[in-house]
Short mmCIF file of all heavy atoms in Angstrom, two decimals:
data_model
loop_
_atom_site.label_atom_id
_atom_site.label_comp_id
_atom_site.label_asym_id
_atom_site.label_seq_id
_atom_site.Cartn_x
_atom_site.Cartn_y
_atom_site.Cartn_z
N GLU A 244 4.05 -2.35 -4.80
CA GLU A 244 5.14 -3.31 -5.42
C GLU A 244 6.10 -3.95 -4.44
O GLU A 244 7.30 -3.74 -4.43
CB GLU A 244 5.86 -2.42 -6.44
CG GLU A 244 4.95 -1.83 -7.57
CD GLU A 244 5.80 -1.03 -8.62
OE1 GLU A 244 6.86 -1.40 -8.74
OE2 GLU A 244 5.19 -0.25 -9.29
N PRO A 245 5.54 -4.92 -3.75
CA PRO A 245 6.39 -5.60 -2.78
C PRO A 245 7.55 -6.39 -3.46
O PRO A 245 8.51 -6.86 -2.86
CB PRO A 245 5.48 -6.55 -2.02
CG PRO A 245 4.33 -6.62 -2.90
CD PRO A 245 4.19 -5.28 -3.61
N GLU A 246 7.38 -6.66 -4.72
CA GLU A 246 8.39 -7.39 -5.54
C GLU A 246 9.55 -6.75 -5.79
O GLU A 246 10.66 -7.31 -6.24
CB GLU A 246 7.73 -8.02 -6.88
CG GLU A 246 7.47 -6.89 -7.87
CD GLU A 246 6.07 -6.16 -7.68
OE1 GLU A 246 5.37 -6.47 -6.69
OE2 GLU A 246 5.60 -5.61 -8.65
N THR A 247 9.60 -5.42 -5.66
CA THR A 247 10.78 -4.46 -6.10
C THR A 247 12.08 -4.96 -5.39
O THR A 247 12.10 -4.98 -4.10
CB THR A 247 10.45 -3.00 -5.84
OG1 THR A 247 9.32 -2.68 -6.49
CG2 THR A 247 11.58 -2.23 -6.37
N ASN A 248 13.04 -5.32 -6.21
CA ASN A 248 14.38 -5.65 -5.62
C ASN A 248 14.28 -6.86 -4.69
O ASN A 248 15.25 -7.04 -3.72
CB ASN A 248 15.05 -4.46 -4.91
CG ASN A 248 15.42 -3.41 -5.82
OD1 ASN A 248 15.80 -3.65 -6.94
ND2 ASN A 248 15.20 -2.12 -5.42
N LEU A 249 13.32 -7.72 -4.76
CA LEU A 249 13.21 -8.82 -3.99
C LEU A 249 13.44 -10.17 -4.75
O LEU A 249 12.91 -10.38 -5.83
CB LEU A 249 11.68 -9.00 -3.38
CG LEU A 249 11.43 -10.00 -2.33
CD1 LEU A 249 12.20 -9.62 -1.02
CD2 LEU A 249 10.11 -10.13 -1.98
N ASN A 250 14.34 -10.99 -4.25
CA ASN A 250 14.65 -12.28 -4.87
C ASN A 250 13.37 -13.06 -5.18
O ASN A 250 12.63 -13.21 -4.15
CB ASN A 250 15.62 -13.00 -4.12
CG ASN A 250 16.24 -14.27 -4.85
OD1 ASN A 250 15.48 -15.10 -5.35
ND2 ASN A 250 17.42 -14.20 -5.10
N PRO A 251 13.09 -13.61 -6.32
CA PRO A 251 11.78 -14.37 -6.59
C PRO A 251 11.74 -15.54 -5.49
O PRO A 251 10.65 -16.00 -5.15
CB PRO A 251 11.97 -14.87 -7.93
CG PRO A 251 12.77 -13.87 -8.62
CD PRO A 251 13.93 -13.28 -7.64
N LYS A 252 12.84 -16.10 -4.93
CA LYS A 252 12.72 -17.16 -4.21
C LYS A 252 12.19 -16.77 -2.83
O LYS A 252 11.60 -17.61 -2.04
CB LYS A 252 14.12 -17.78 -3.84
CG LYS A 252 14.79 -18.49 -5.00
CD LYS A 252 16.01 -19.11 -4.66
CE LYS A 252 16.59 -20.01 -5.85
NZ LYS A 252 17.87 -20.60 -5.45
N LEU A 253 12.18 -15.41 -2.46
CA LEU A 253 11.67 -14.89 -1.08
C LEU A 253 10.15 -14.52 -1.35
O LEU A 253 9.44 -14.42 -0.30
CB LEU A 253 12.46 -13.81 -0.80
CG LEU A 253 13.86 -14.08 -0.20
CD1 LEU A 253 14.59 -12.70 0.17
CD2 LEU A 253 13.79 -14.92 1.08
N MET A 254 9.66 -14.49 -2.50
CA MET A 254 8.20 -14.03 -2.71
C MET A 254 7.27 -15.07 -2.08
O MET A 254 6.22 -14.58 -1.52
CB MET A 254 7.88 -13.91 -4.30
CG MET A 254 8.67 -12.71 -4.77
SD MET A 254 8.35 -12.35 -6.45
CE MET A 254 9.31 -10.94 -6.96
N GLY A 255 7.58 -16.28 -2.17
CA GLY A 255 6.68 -17.24 -1.47
C GLY A 255 6.61 -17.05 -0.01
O GLY A 255 5.48 -17.11 0.55
N THR A 256 7.79 -16.60 0.64
CA THR A 256 7.65 -16.36 2.03
C THR A 256 6.81 -15.04 2.33
O THR A 256 6.10 -15.04 3.29
CB THR A 256 9.16 -16.06 2.53
OG1 THR A 256 9.95 -17.39 2.35
CG2 THR A 256 9.19 -15.66 4.03
N VAL A 257 7.08 -13.98 1.38
CA VAL A 257 6.29 -12.73 1.57
C VAL A 257 4.73 -13.06 1.53
O VAL A 257 4.03 -12.55 2.37
CB VAL A 257 6.63 -11.76 0.52
CG1 VAL A 257 5.68 -10.51 0.53
CG2 VAL A 257 8.12 -11.29 0.80
N ILE A 258 4.47 -13.79 0.50
CA ILE A 258 2.96 -14.11 0.45
C ILE A 258 2.35 -14.99 1.58
O ILE A 258 1.43 -14.70 2.15
CB ILE A 258 2.69 -14.85 -0.89
CG1 ILE A 258 3.05 -14.03 -2.12
CG2 ILE A 258 1.07 -15.17 -1.04
CD1 ILE A 258 2.72 -12.56 -2.01
N LYS A 259 3.25 -15.87 2.05
CA LYS A 259 2.83 -16.54 3.29
C LYS A 259 2.57 -15.63 4.46
O LYS A 259 1.64 -16.00 5.25
CB LYS A 259 3.94 -17.68 3.50
CG LYS A 259 3.64 -18.54 4.67
CD LYS A 259 4.79 -19.67 4.77
CE LYS A 259 4.37 -20.70 5.88
NZ LYS A 259 5.56 -21.57 6.03
N ILE A 260 3.42 -14.73 4.58
CA ILE A 260 3.28 -13.78 5.73
C ILE A 260 2.11 -12.87 5.59
O ILE A 260 1.35 -12.67 6.50
CB ILE A 260 4.66 -12.98 5.91
CG1 ILE A 260 5.72 -13.88 6.32
CG2 ILE A 260 4.37 -11.80 6.92
CD1 ILE A 260 7.09 -13.34 6.24
N LEU A 261 1.92 -12.39 4.36
CA LEU A 261 0.68 -11.61 4.10
C LEU A 261 -0.68 -12.34 4.37
O LEU A 261 -1.57 -11.78 4.93
CB LEU A 261 0.78 -11.02 2.69
CG LEU A 261 1.87 -9.99 2.37
CD1 LEU A 261 1.73 -9.50 0.93
CD2 LEU A 261 1.77 -8.81 3.38
N LEU A 262 -0.70 -13.63 3.90
CA LEU A 262 -1.88 -14.38 4.17
C LEU A 262 -2.02 -14.70 5.67
O LEU A 262 -3.18 -14.50 6.10
CB LEU A 262 -1.71 -15.63 3.43
CG LEU A 262 -2.01 -15.57 1.90
CD1 LEU A 262 -1.57 -16.94 1.20
CD2 LEU A 262 -3.50 -15.25 1.56
N GLU A 263 -1.05 -14.78 6.45
CA GLU A 263 -1.11 -15.02 7.79
C GLU A 263 -1.54 -13.81 8.48
O GLU A 263 -2.32 -13.82 9.47
CB GLU A 263 0.31 -15.53 8.42
CG GLU A 263 0.16 -16.15 9.74
CD GLU A 263 -0.70 -17.30 9.73
OE1 GLU A 263 -0.62 -18.11 8.80
OE2 GLU A 263 -1.24 -17.57 10.92
N LEU A 264 -1.03 -12.61 8.05
CA LEU A 264 -1.45 -11.33 8.64
C LEU A 264 -2.87 -11.14 8.49
O LEU A 264 -3.72 -10.65 9.41
CB LEU A 264 -0.63 -10.13 7.99
CG LEU A 264 0.78 -9.93 8.48
CD1 LEU A 264 1.44 -8.87 7.72
CD2 LEU A 264 0.81 -9.53 9.93
N GLN A 265 -3.49 -11.44 7.32
CA GLN A 265 -4.90 -11.46 7.00
C GLN A 265 -5.72 -12.36 7.92
O GLN A 265 -6.73 -11.95 8.36
CB GLN A 265 -5.23 -11.71 5.53
CG GLN A 265 -6.58 -11.93 5.15
CD GLN A 265 -6.95 -13.38 4.95
OE1 GLN A 265 -8.12 -13.78 4.88
NE2 GLN A 265 -5.90 -14.20 4.89
N ARG A 266 -5.07 -13.39 8.27
CA ARG A 266 -5.86 -14.38 9.13
C ARG A 266 -5.94 -13.79 10.50
O ARG A 266 -6.78 -14.35 11.22
CB ARG A 266 -5.13 -15.75 9.11
CG ARG A 266 -5.27 -16.47 7.75
CD ARG A 266 -4.30 -17.66 7.50
NE ARG A 266 -4.40 -18.12 6.18
CZ ARG A 266 -3.36 -18.67 5.56
NH1 ARG A 266 -2.19 -18.98 6.31
NH2 ARG A 266 -3.42 -19.16 4.34
N VAL A 267 -5.07 -12.99 10.99
CA VAL A 267 -5.08 -12.43 12.33
C VAL A 267 -5.79 -11.15 12.33
O VAL A 267 -5.71 -10.48 13.40
CB VAL A 267 -3.62 -12.46 12.92
CG1 VAL A 267 -3.01 -13.77 13.06
CG2 VAL A 267 -2.71 -11.37 12.11
N GLY A 268 -6.33 -10.73 11.23
CA GLY A 268 -7.13 -9.46 11.28
C GLY A 268 -6.60 -8.19 10.57
O GLY A 268 -7.20 -7.18 10.80
N VAL A 269 -5.59 -8.41 9.94
CA VAL A 269 -4.90 -7.13 9.20
C VAL A 269 -5.59 -6.99 7.86
O VAL A 269 -5.57 -8.09 7.03
CB VAL A 269 -3.40 -7.32 9.03
CG1 VAL A 269 -2.91 -6.10 8.31
CG2 VAL A 269 -2.77 -7.33 10.55
N GLN A 270 -6.07 -5.94 7.42
CA GLN A 270 -6.58 -5.70 6.04
C GLN A 270 -5.37 -5.26 5.22
O GLN A 270 -4.63 -4.47 5.61
CB GLN A 270 -7.71 -4.64 6.05
CG GLN A 270 -8.39 -4.54 4.71
CD GLN A 270 -9.53 -3.52 4.70
OE1 GLN A 270 -9.59 -2.70 5.63
NE2 GLN A 270 -10.44 -3.65 3.81
N ILE A 271 -5.25 -5.75 4.11
CA ILE A 271 -4.13 -5.61 3.14
C ILE A 271 -4.44 -5.14 1.76
O ILE A 271 -5.37 -5.62 1.10
CB ILE A 271 -3.27 -6.89 3.14
CG1 ILE A 271 -2.74 -7.27 4.63
CG2 ILE A 271 -1.99 -6.73 2.22
CD1 ILE A 271 -2.16 -8.64 4.62
N PHE A 272 -3.69 -4.20 1.32
CA PHE A 272 -3.72 -3.60 -0.05
C PHE A 272 -2.30 -3.68 -0.72
O PHE A 272 -1.42 -3.15 -0.19
CB PHE A 272 -4.29 -2.12 0.03
CG PHE A 272 -5.70 -2.06 0.60
CD1 PHE A 272 -5.89 -2.07 1.90
CD2 PHE A 272 -6.70 -1.72 -0.32
CE1 PHE A 272 -7.19 -1.75 2.49
CE2 PHE A 272 -8.00 -1.72 0.15
CZ PHE A 272 -8.19 -1.63 1.62
N VAL A 273 -2.35 -4.40 -1.78
CA VAL A 273 -1.08 -4.55 -2.53
C VAL A 273 -1.33 -4.16 -4.03
O VAL A 273 -2.23 -4.50 -4.66
CB VAL A 273 -0.58 -6.09 -2.44
CG1 VAL A 273 0.47 -6.31 -3.44
CG2 VAL A 273 -0.38 -6.44 -1.13
N ALA A 274 -0.32 -3.39 -4.59
CA ALA A 274 -0.31 -3.13 -5.92
C ALA A 274 0.93 -3.67 -6.52
O ALA A 274 2.13 -3.70 -5.94
CB ALA A 274 -0.24 -1.53 -6.16
N THR A 275 0.65 -4.48 -7.68
CA THR A 275 1.84 -5.29 -8.13
C THR A 275 1.95 -5.38 -9.65
O THR A 275 0.74 -5.25 -10.33
CB THR A 275 1.78 -6.74 -7.66
OG1 THR A 275 3.06 -7.44 -7.98
CG2 THR A 275 0.57 -7.40 -7.94
N HIS A 276 3.09 -5.50 -10.19
CA HIS A 276 3.26 -5.80 -11.64
C HIS A 276 3.71 -7.27 -11.87
O HIS A 276 4.20 -7.50 -12.97
CB HIS A 276 4.21 -4.86 -12.24
CG HIS A 276 3.60 -3.42 -12.41
ND1 HIS A 276 2.70 -3.10 -13.32
CD2 HIS A 276 3.80 -2.40 -11.68
CE1 HIS A 276 2.44 -1.80 -13.22
NE2 HIS A 276 3.17 -1.28 -12.19
N ASP A 277 3.87 -8.03 -10.76
CA ASP A 277 4.60 -9.34 -10.85
C ASP A 277 3.67 -10.53 -10.92
O ASP A 277 2.86 -10.68 -10.13
CB ASP A 277 5.48 -9.38 -9.69
CG ASP A 277 6.60 -10.45 -9.77
OD1 ASP A 277 7.59 -10.25 -10.38
OD2 ASP A 277 6.32 -11.53 -9.32
N TYR A 278 4.06 -11.31 -11.99
CA TYR A 278 3.31 -12.68 -12.26
C TYR A 278 3.57 -13.59 -10.87
O TYR A 278 2.58 -14.23 -10.60
CB TYR A 278 3.75 -13.33 -13.37
CG TYR A 278 3.05 -14.65 -13.64
CD1 TYR A 278 1.76 -14.70 -14.21
CD2 TYR A 278 3.70 -15.81 -13.29
CE1 TYR A 278 1.10 -15.82 -14.44
CE2 TYR A 278 3.04 -17.07 -13.51
CZ TYR A 278 1.79 -17.02 -14.07
OH TYR A 278 1.17 -18.31 -14.28
N THR A 279 4.66 -13.64 -10.43
CA THR A 279 5.10 -14.50 -9.33
C THR A 279 4.23 -14.30 -8.12
O THR A 279 3.73 -15.14 -7.39
CB THR A 279 6.52 -14.56 -8.90
OG1 THR A 279 7.26 -14.78 -10.07
CG2 THR A 279 6.88 -15.61 -7.95
N ILE A 280 4.05 -12.99 -7.85
CA ILE A 280 3.13 -12.50 -6.69
C ILE A 280 1.77 -13.01 -6.87
O ILE A 280 1.14 -13.63 -5.93
CB ILE A 280 3.19 -10.92 -6.62
CG1 ILE A 280 4.61 -10.55 -6.15
CG2 ILE A 280 2.16 -10.52 -5.71
CD1 ILE A 280 4.91 -10.67 -4.74
N LEU A 281 1.15 -12.81 -8.07
CA LEU A 281 -0.24 -13.22 -8.28
C LEU A 281 -0.30 -14.70 -8.15
O LEU A 281 -1.25 -15.26 -7.56
CB LEU A 281 -0.59 -12.76 -9.68
CG LEU A 281 -0.81 -11.22 -9.90
CD1 LEU A 281 -1.30 -11.17 -11.35
CD2 LEU A 281 -1.90 -10.71 -9.02
N LYS A 282 0.61 -15.42 -8.74
CA LYS A 282 0.53 -16.95 -8.68
C LYS A 282 0.74 -17.41 -7.33
O LYS A 282 0.13 -18.49 -6.98
CB LYS A 282 1.56 -17.52 -9.67
CG LYS A 282 1.29 -18.97 -10.11
CD LYS A 282 -0.07 -19.06 -10.67
CE LYS A 282 -0.56 -20.52 -11.01
NZ LYS A 282 -1.85 -20.73 -11.45
N GLN A 283 1.54 -16.82 -6.50
CA GLN A 283 1.72 -17.31 -5.12
C GLN A 283 0.55 -17.17 -4.34
O GLN A 283 0.14 -17.96 -3.58
CB GLN A 283 2.94 -16.56 -4.57
CG GLN A 283 4.37 -17.04 -4.87
CD GLN A 283 4.77 -18.31 -4.35
OE1 GLN A 283 4.09 -18.94 -3.55
NE2 GLN A 283 5.88 -18.80 -4.90
N PHE A 284 -0.11 -16.00 -4.46
CA PHE A 284 -1.42 -15.81 -3.87
C PHE A 284 -2.34 -16.91 -4.26
O PHE A 284 -3.10 -17.51 -3.43
CB PHE A 284 -2.04 -14.46 -4.05
CG PHE A 284 -1.57 -13.38 -3.18
CD1 PHE A 284 -0.87 -12.35 -3.69
CD2 PHE A 284 -1.84 -13.43 -1.87
CE1 PHE A 284 -0.46 -11.21 -2.80
CE2 PHE A 284 -1.39 -12.40 -1.04
CZ PHE A 284 -0.76 -11.30 -1.44
N ASP A 285 -2.42 -17.22 -5.60
CA ASP A 285 -3.38 -18.20 -6.09
C ASP A 285 -3.05 -19.58 -5.49
O ASP A 285 -4.10 -20.41 -5.19
CB ASP A 285 -3.25 -18.19 -7.58
CG ASP A 285 -4.38 -19.16 -8.19
OD1 ASP A 285 -5.51 -19.08 -7.76
OD2 ASP A 285 -3.83 -19.86 -9.08
N LEU A 286 -1.77 -19.95 -5.36
CA LEU A 286 -1.41 -21.20 -4.92
C LEU A 286 -1.54 -21.42 -3.47
O LEU A 286 -1.94 -22.44 -2.89
CB LEU A 286 0.08 -21.49 -5.30
CG LEU A 286 0.21 -21.69 -6.89
CD1 LEU A 286 1.69 -21.84 -7.24
CD2 LEU A 286 -0.36 -22.85 -7.38
N GLN A 287 -1.21 -20.37 -2.63
CA GLN A 287 -1.19 -20.47 -1.23
C GLN A 287 -2.47 -20.24 -0.45
O GLN A 287 -2.69 -20.74 0.63
CB GLN A 287 -0.01 -19.53 -0.69
CG GLN A 287 1.36 -19.89 -1.00
CD GLN A 287 2.39 -19.16 -0.15
OE1 GLN A 287 2.24 -18.95 1.00
NE2 GLN A 287 3.34 -18.68 -0.80
N LYS A 288 -3.37 -19.35 -1.15
CA LYS A 288 -4.57 -19.07 -0.33
C LYS A 288 -5.48 -20.24 -0.16
O LYS A 288 -5.60 -21.24 -1.02
CB LYS A 288 -5.26 -17.97 -1.03
CG LYS A 288 -5.97 -18.23 -2.40
CD LYS A 288 -6.69 -17.11 -2.99
CE LYS A 288 -7.35 -17.34 -4.31
NZ LYS A 288 -8.58 -18.18 -3.94
N THR A 289 -6.17 -20.23 0.98
CA THR A 289 -7.15 -21.38 1.14
C THR A 289 -8.59 -20.94 0.94
O THR A 289 -8.87 -19.65 0.79
CB THR A 289 -7.04 -21.90 2.62
OG1 THR A 289 -7.45 -20.77 3.49
CG2 THR A 289 -5.58 -22.27 2.91
N ASP A 290 -9.53 -21.78 1.05
CA ASP A 290 -10.91 -21.44 0.86
C ASP A 290 -11.45 -20.37 1.80
O ASP A 290 -12.34 -19.52 1.44
CB ASP A 290 -11.83 -22.60 0.76
CG ASP A 290 -11.60 -23.46 -0.34
OD1 ASP A 290 -10.98 -23.00 -1.52
OD2 ASP A 290 -11.98 -24.69 -0.24
N SER A 291 -10.90 -20.33 2.92
CA SER A 291 -11.26 -19.47 4.13
C SER A 291 -10.52 -17.97 4.01
O SER A 291 -11.00 -17.07 4.62
CB SER A 291 -10.97 -20.07 5.46
OG SER A 291 -9.55 -20.31 5.61
N ASP A 292 -9.50 -18.00 3.24
CA ASP A 292 -8.88 -16.76 3.00
C ASP A 292 -9.70 -15.74 2.19
O ASP A 292 -10.24 -16.10 1.22
CB ASP A 292 -7.42 -16.94 2.39
CG ASP A 292 -6.44 -17.57 3.24
OD1 ASP A 292 -6.54 -17.22 4.47
OD2 ASP A 292 -5.61 -18.33 2.89
N LYS A 293 -9.64 -14.44 2.50
CA LYS A 293 -10.38 -13.48 1.85
C LYS A 293 -9.57 -12.63 0.93
O LYS A 293 -8.84 -11.62 1.44
CB LYS A 293 -11.23 -12.56 2.83
CG LYS A 293 -12.11 -13.31 3.69
CD LYS A 293 -12.75 -12.32 4.73
CE LYS A 293 -13.83 -13.04 5.49
NZ LYS A 293 -13.22 -13.90 6.37
N VAL A 294 -9.35 -13.12 -0.39
CA VAL A 294 -8.40 -12.35 -1.36
C VAL A 294 -9.28 -12.04 -2.55
O VAL A 294 -10.02 -12.81 -3.12
CB VAL A 294 -7.30 -13.46 -1.79
CG1 VAL A 294 -6.42 -12.76 -2.82
CG2 VAL A 294 -6.62 -13.97 -0.50
#
Side-chain angles (χ1 to χ4, degrees):
E244 297 185 23
E246 70 271 13
T247 304
N248 295 320
L249 189 67
N250 189 306
K252 289 184 178 181
L253 290 174
M254 288 183 185
T256 300
V257 169
I258 303 311
K259 186 177 181 179
I260 291 166
L261 292 180
L262 285 167
E263 195 63 34
L264 281 170
Q265 169 252 165
R266 290 165 191 154
V267 299
V269 179
Q270 188 178 23
I271 298 172
F272 295 78
V273 171
T275 183
H276 289 284
D277 191 84
Y278 178 81
T279 305
I280 291 282
L281 291 182
K282 198 59 186 175
Q283 283 287 357
F284 271 117
D285 182 48
L286 292 172
Q287 292 194 41
K288 71 182 181 72
T289 65
D290 291 340
S291 60
D292 290 322
K293 300 178 179 66
V294 179

